[in-house]
Amino acid sequence: MSRRRRIYEGKAKVLFEGPEPGTLVQYFKDDASAFNNQKKGTITGKGVLNNRISEYLMTKLGEIGVPTHFVRRLNMREQLVREVEIIPLEVVIRNVVAGSLSKRFGMPEGTQLPRSIVEYYYKSDELNDPMVSEEHITAFGWATPQDIDEILAMSLRINDFLLGLFLGVGLRLVDFKLEFGRLYENEEMRLVLADEISPDNCRLWDTKTGEKLDKDRFRRDLGNVEEAYQEVARRLGILPEGGPRDMKGPATMQ
Ligand code: UDP
C-alpha cells in the first residue's frame, strides 16, 4: 500500500495506480460492510484470505478460458490487475433460494432452484442497487444486447465450474455476485471478469451440516466470521503459510 496513487476506495478494497500503464493494484482491506453500509465492522485477516481465495478462483477460471482482469498476486494483501472500465452492474447467479430472493418471494432459504437464475442489479449506493432488467440495461446504455449475451454466457459457465469446484471441497455454492469490465487492447474491446470472488460475495454452505461459511456470518451476527473465511481457504488448500497469526503483522502491509 502507500506511495502509489490511490485511484478509488471501496468498502472492502482500494485500487492504486499499477506499475505499468493499463494496470492497477487491488488492495484487500479487513473492513466489512453490509446492508448498503448500515452495518460496518472489521474481520481480522479477511483481506489476506480474500486476496488468496480470489487469486485461486480467478486463476482456475483463467485456466478454463474465462477472461479475467487478474494478473498476479503481489503480496499478502495486494494483487496486480488489468485496468478495466467497470460495467455498472452486479450480476447475481443463484442455485439455491437465500437472502433477498427468499424475502422477495417468501420462499424458505435452502430451497433448491429448478435451474440457475441470473439477476442484474444497477450498481448505485445512493439507490441501494436496484434490480434491473435487460430492457433497463440497454435503454440506459450500460451494456449492449450483445454484451448482455456474453455476460450471461460467461456467468453460467463460471457458475457451472465453481459449483463443481466447491462441491469437491464439501461446499454448496448457493449464490454469488460477479462484476464485469471492458478491457481495451489493440483498438479492441473485450469483456472480462473483474472485481473479486470470495466469501464476501458468495454464499457457501457446508454440504453436510448446512453451516454458513460466508459473509452471512457477519451480516447476521452468527459469530466465528474469521474462522469461516479461513475454513473456505483451508478447504481450497490455500491457507497462507503460518496460518492466521501471519495475517496481522506489519510484514503483511508492504
Ligand atoms: N451480493 C454482493 N454484493 C451486493 C449484494 C449481493 O456480493 O451488494 C452477493 C451476496 O453475497 C450473495 C448474492 O450476491 O452471495 C445474492 O445476494 P442477495 O441478493 O440475496 O442480497 P443480500 O441478501 O446479500 O442482501
Side-chain angles (χ1 to χ4, degrees):
M1 211 167 155
S2 70
R3 267 156 275 136
R4 293 195 175 107
R5 194 162 68 90
R6 189 179 292 238
I7 309 275
Y8 172 81
E9 175 145 11
K11 287 168 236 167
K13 295 189 291 293
V14 189
L15 288 175
F16 294 95
E17 199 169 55
E20 299 131 40
T23 65
L24 296 174
V25 172
Q26 187 165 251
Y27 176 94
F28 288 75
K29 301 192 276 186
D30 283 348
D31 297 350
S33 68
F35 313 119
N36 199 20
N37 241 351
Q38 284 174 50
K39 182 181 169 88
K40 286 188 196 166
T42 305
I43 304 171
T44 310
K46 172 172 83 83
V48 175
L49 291 163
N50 283 358
N51 188 21
R52 287 275 179 154
I53 294 170
S54 200
E55 169 197 21
Y56 179 80
L57 298 174
M58 291 272 183
T59 303
K60 289 276 175 201
L61 286 167
E63 283 167 9
I64 63 152
V66 175
T68 81
H69 75 157
F70 180 79
V71 181
R72 67 176 180 275
R73 190 169 59 80
L74 297 170
N75 55 49
M76 295 284 271
R77 285 185 184 268
E78 293 177 327
Q79 51 181 241
L80 185 68
V81 300
R82 308 287 299 273
E83 184 171 24
V84 299
E85 188 183 285
I86 290 285
I87 293 174
L89 295 175
E90 303 210 334
V91 181
V92 170
I93 300 97
R94 302 180 181 274
N95 301 302
V96 178
V97 174
S100 70
L101 184 70
S102 157
K103 282 206 198 83
R104 204 170 336 121
F105 297 105
M107 278 177 205
E109 284 205 309
T111 311
Q112 181 71 39
L113 291 165
R115 61 178 180 85
S116 306
I117 294 177
V118 179
E119 299 170 342
Y120 305 103
Y121 295 85
Y122 177 52
K123 256 171 82 78
S124 162
D125 286 343
E126 300 88 82
L127 301 173
N128 211 357
D129 298 348
M131 193 180 191
V132 292
S133 71
E134 294 189 25
E135 293 284 297
H136 300 111
I137 297 170
T138 51
F140 297 137
W142 299 322
T144 64
Q146 198 190 331
D147 292 336
I148 299 174
D149 285 351
E150 225 175 296
I151 287 171
L152 180 62
M154 270 200 263
S155 299
L156 292 174
R157 181 132 190 269
I158 293 166
N159 185 43
D160 279 349
F161 180 76
L162 293 183
L163 266 175
L165 186 147
F166 281 119
L167 199 59
V169 297
L171 293 170
R172 192 175 184 200
L173 178 62
V174 170
D175 56 29
F176 61 106
K177 185 262 293 181
L178 298 175
E179 292 187 26
F180 293 88
R182 296 180 204 281
L183 180 65
Y184 295 93
E185 213 175 24
N186 316 320
E187 320 271 296
E188 275 176 30
M189 186 281 284
R190 57 191 180 116
L191 293 177
V192 303
L193 178 65
D195 192 47
E196 68 175 289
I197 309 180
S198 72
D200 265 8
N201 44 40
C202 297
R203 283 196 170 95
L204 296 164
W205 297 354
D206 183 272
T207 42
K208 288 215 186 80
T209 65
E211 190 189 359
K212 295 182 188 349
L213 294 170
D214 55 56
K215 202 166 121 182
D216 271 348
R217 300 207 72 85
F218 168 77
R219 292 191 191 98
R220 304 178 187 190
D221 296 319
L222 299 175
N224 295 328
V225 190
E226 292 104 275
E227 290 79 1
Y229 282 62
Q230 272 168 33
E231 179 62 14
V232 172
R234 195 188 62 74
R235 290 200 193 185
L236 293 173
I238 51 171
L239 198 64
E241 279 166 41
R245 228 179 283 163
D246 237 28
M247 292 175 205
K248 297 175 201 165
T252 67
M253 300 294 285
Q254 55 202 280

